[in-house]
Amino acid sequence: MCAVSMVEQAEEKVVYKRPDSLNDCATHYCPGCTHGVAHRLVAEVLDELGVRGRTIGVSPVGCAVFAYQYFNVDGAEAAHGRAPAMATGIKRTLPDHVVFTYQGDGDLASIGLAEIVHAATRGENITTIFINNAVYGMTGGQMAPTSLPGQRTTSSPLGRDVELTGFPIHMAEMLSASPGAAYVVRRSLHNVKEINRAKKAIKIAFQAQLAGLGFSMVELLSTCPTNWGLTPVEALAWVEQKMVPVYPLGDFKVYDAVQTAAKR
Amino acid sequence: MSVELLKGNVALAEAAVRAGVEAYFGYPITPQTELLEHMAKRMPELGRVFVQAESEVAAINMVYGAASTGVRAMTSSSSPGISLMQEGFSYIAGSEVPCVIVDIMRGGPGLGNIQPSQADYFQVTRSAGHGDYHPIVLAPASVQEAIDLMTLAFDLADQYRHLVFVVADGLIGQMMEPAELPPMQPVRTAKPDWALTGAEGRDKRVITSLELTAPELEAVNLHLQAKLQTIRETEQRWAEQWTDDARLIVVGYGTAGRIAETAVRQARKEGLKVGLFRPISLWPFPEDRLSALADQIDAFLVVEMNAGQMWEDVRLAAGGQVPVMFAGRMGGMVPMPEEIYEAIQQLAEKLPGDLRSGG
């Protein structure tokens, strides 16, 4: 405090602070988990777009179940997998508001598959932040639809055998096939460069919604050090080395109008 | 206002429109589909929300979202669809969000059939989803009453921030009767102080049913139970006829109650001292009045289009004071008045006194 007061006023320049769209509270996420990074990126984007006061976030069931506590916006807590349906009800009655869902892979790619596919197909003008960490986190590390071939989980203890349990599901590719989807991309959170790219994508996704262009989703490859049995640093490397080859990063659907909206 | 010939499902839909429903989400299922179809036409032309959902599961969660923004929201379905919606009902109850659900019941279990039935009584009156609560449940016996109860349903939902069912069966949903619709109510413009509207200029709000610690969740439950106790004490509704001097009272709701009325009327013509009691609120069950009536009669006869579900509630209300008999049909079979009259006659023979004497 004293040190700050000794600095002349003209030299003060805030270069880093908590976004207004994030609450001043501790999160429950495990050390090394990238949920916190994703939260911050979304909050920074909401601040930069100046939409905090007209945003409603819909939380999932899973590790991010308390997201409604962490974001400093009006929030709703959906049933498992139903966030896109709940968001549909909210957006249809408040069309001038910004509505987003924040969902994990069990929530979005398994139990809630119908809800996300149909929200995208209807061209529901909402934004989905999809955290793909290839495992069920909150229930203690069971196999997810996104688990990699050979990946050991508590419910695939010998490694995921695709002959028995099928293949990893590719949500960004699948949803990009829908005419109702305006912007569908996959990014990763495993290093600073990718984090910066992820933030840009999140911003474009919300800009697409603000322009009323239809459904937008950013899939984010994320870490789960606890359930992967890795250190936080090892987990970042695991995303890069194991997940990215299975889940290629890139733009799967970008309407021309989205580019125009993003440039505005 | 004028009397029109209206189909039950259409009347329910139009009554909801006139009660100011702003958002409808549903999924087609017989025998309630005309309700959804009427909404598909009326809601857009009034600038209101209609979405045909991908499933009943999605439909009720869309209702949950819309209702969270403080608008009057509803869905409708029939028995198997109501089963699918149980998840959403529970979250809505836990979050204290008001909404209205119409269940046009059909025969079950499973896919069953599409004939009229009252087999959802347990499903709607007990908890309608996991957890520890009752929804408010209203049961009309005619198209006119369905219209009247729809308006009441929205008012009760808002008053108690709770889910309210209007339950009828395929007969009431599908039949046409002369009825009078209420005038159009203006859509509510002011939002309730709990609704999600964006946190501009105020603290953020959250709609959730999650309380991870046991003491906090118990506190939520105690609050919910106190609210339900108020509802139990103030919202019991019923109709009764010929009960003043009755020694046998026939109890039936909805279609069964209406058919029973014909049978009881016949019994009265024959000089039998039989009364009719028709619960209109299935929850809260009109137990106080039934309990009082149990003091002055020899027996109850419960008539339902199921295996005897409300029968359990009548027995609870009777408290062992008098025998509670049951006559019902299942599988979508609708009892004829003659069957009920026969059951009355058989019961009359078993009762200790003479039903004609009233003594």
Side-chain angles (χ1 to χ4, degrees), chain A residues 40-55:
Chain A
R40 184 177 173 99
L41 297 184
V42 171
E44 285 179 356
V45 164
L46 295 177
D47 277 13
E48 289 168 18
L49 294 173
V51 295
R52 189 196 73 81
R54 58 183 176 113
T55 294

Side-chain angles (χ1 to χ4, degrees), chain A residues 21 23 46 52-60 65-78 86-87 90 94 97-102, chain B residues 64-65 68-69 95 97 194-199 202-209:
Chain A
S21 297
N23 267 334
L46 295 177
R52 189 196 73 81
R54 58 183 176 113
T55 294
I56 295 163
V58 185
S59 304
V65 69
F66 287 124
Y68 61 79
Q69 288 182 357
Y70 306 146
F71 288 111
N72 185 23
V73 300
D74 270 12
E77 169 53 44
M86 197 174 188
I90 293 169
L94 296 173
H97 285 55
V98 175
V99 179
F100 75 95
T101 72
Y102 186 101
Chain B
Y64 184 21
S68 297
T69 70
S95 304
V97 169
W194 49 263
L196 303 180
T197 56
R202 60 160 170 78
D203 288 343
K204 61 176 282 193
R205 292 174 185 159
V206 172
I207 297 289
T208 181
S209 59

Side-chain angles (χ1 to χ4, degrees), chain B residues 140-173:
Chain B
S142 68
V143 172
Q144 183 65 60
E145 195 173 35
I147 291 167
D148 299 342
L149 290 182
M150 183 58 90
T151 308
L152 175 67
F154 279 105
D155 290 342
L156 291 176
D158 283 342
Q159 182 181 345
Y160 294 107
R161 291 177 59 178
H162 201 48
L163 59 170
V164 181
F165 280 79
V166 176
V167 298
D169 56 66
L171 197 79
I172 292 170

Side-chain angles (χ1 to χ4, degrees), chain A residues 28 61-65 135-142 224 227:
Chain A
H28 71 287
V61 168
C63 286
V65 69
V135 76
Y136 280 64
M138 193 181 67
T139 45
Q142 294 77 33
C224 185
N227 288 306

Side-chain angles (χ1 to χ4, degrees), chain B residues 262-319:
Chain B
T262 306
V264 173
R265 194 180 295 277
Q266 176 65 27
R268 278 276 155 184
K269 270 189 200 160
E270 303 293 332
L272 300 173
K273 297 207 180 305
V274 182
L276 177 73
F277 188 91
R278 183 167 64 81
I280 292 173
S281 59
L282 302 185
W283 201 94
F285 192 67
E287 58 195 358
D288 298 344
R289 178 59 183 153
L290 266 180
S291 178
L293 287 170
D295 268 343
Q296 66 182 55
I297 63 168
D298 295 328
F300 285 114
L301 171 64
V302 177
V303 179
E304 292 178 86
M305 284 142 62
N306 60 38
Q309 298 185 24
M310 182 181 71
W311 179 55
E312 296 189 1
D313 280 340
V314 177
R315 285 160 65 204
L316 283 170

